[in-house]
Amino acid sequence: MTDRAVPTLPSRDLDATAAFYEALGFVKSYRDAGWLIMSRGDLTLEFFPHRDLDPSTSDHQANLRLDDLDALHAEFELAGIPLTVTGIPRLTPIEPQAWGARAAFLIDLDGSMLRLIEN
């Protein structure tokens, strides 16, 4: 197996988190009362219970570096994630960033931010 790092994010409700990410094409690869692992191709996210989390103040985040940002973004839009710059959950439009890459941002049900960054 190749060495890798996997983002671990909070979830107020692991069932709701699983359903949210399944709608985005992720597949549940592990689940018990205290842990959830979701994968989509080479992307893997892990979740731990955090029942008292306030999504509006969450500062949890992860970067997903993507070969085909446009295709993934289009699939996320088709899943019904609101395309907007406010609200939870949301998906922002793809835009050139000041740091030189094209990116969009997905905010999940628990306020975690996933930067969708074009390779």
Side-chain angles (χ1 to χ4, degrees):
M1 176 179 257
T2 304
D3 293 343
R4 61 194 175 117
V6 177
T8 304
L9 302 169
S11 169
R12 292 172 296 153
D13 178 331
L14 292 175
D15 290 331
T17 296
F20 178 83
Y21 282 95
E22 284 170 345
L24 298 176
F26 284 79
V27 175
K28 189 182 328 172
S29 58
Y30 179 82
R31 169 68 199 276
D32 68 14
W35 210 255
L36 169 66
I37 301 174
M38 303 291 297
S39 298
R40 179 189 164 111
D42 291 334
L43 300 175
T44 300
L45 301 172
E46 300 191 18
F47 299 90
F48 63 92
H50 191 325
R51 289 168 188 77
D52 298 328
L53 177 69
D54 177 356
S56 68
T57 62
S58 176
D59 60 359
H60 297 273
Q61 52 191 283
N63 294 338
L64 303 183
R65 302 209 178 250
L66 308 163
D67 287 335
D68 196 344
L69 171 61
D70 295 294
L72 185 72
H73 192 274
E75 289 181 39
F76 285 7
E77 278 188 78
L78 288 174
I81 307 301
L83 185 62
T84 183
V85 295
T86 60
I88 298 173
R90 71 178 176 266
L91 177 65
T92 69
I94 298 171
E95 296 182 341
Q97 301 299 308
W99 30 276
R102 290 175 68 236
F105 301 87
L106 172 72
I107 309 301
D108 75 6
L109 297 172
D110 298 298
S112 293
M113 178 177 64
L114 301 182
R115 285 182 196 86
L116 310 175
I117 303 169
E118 186 173 56
N119 283 332

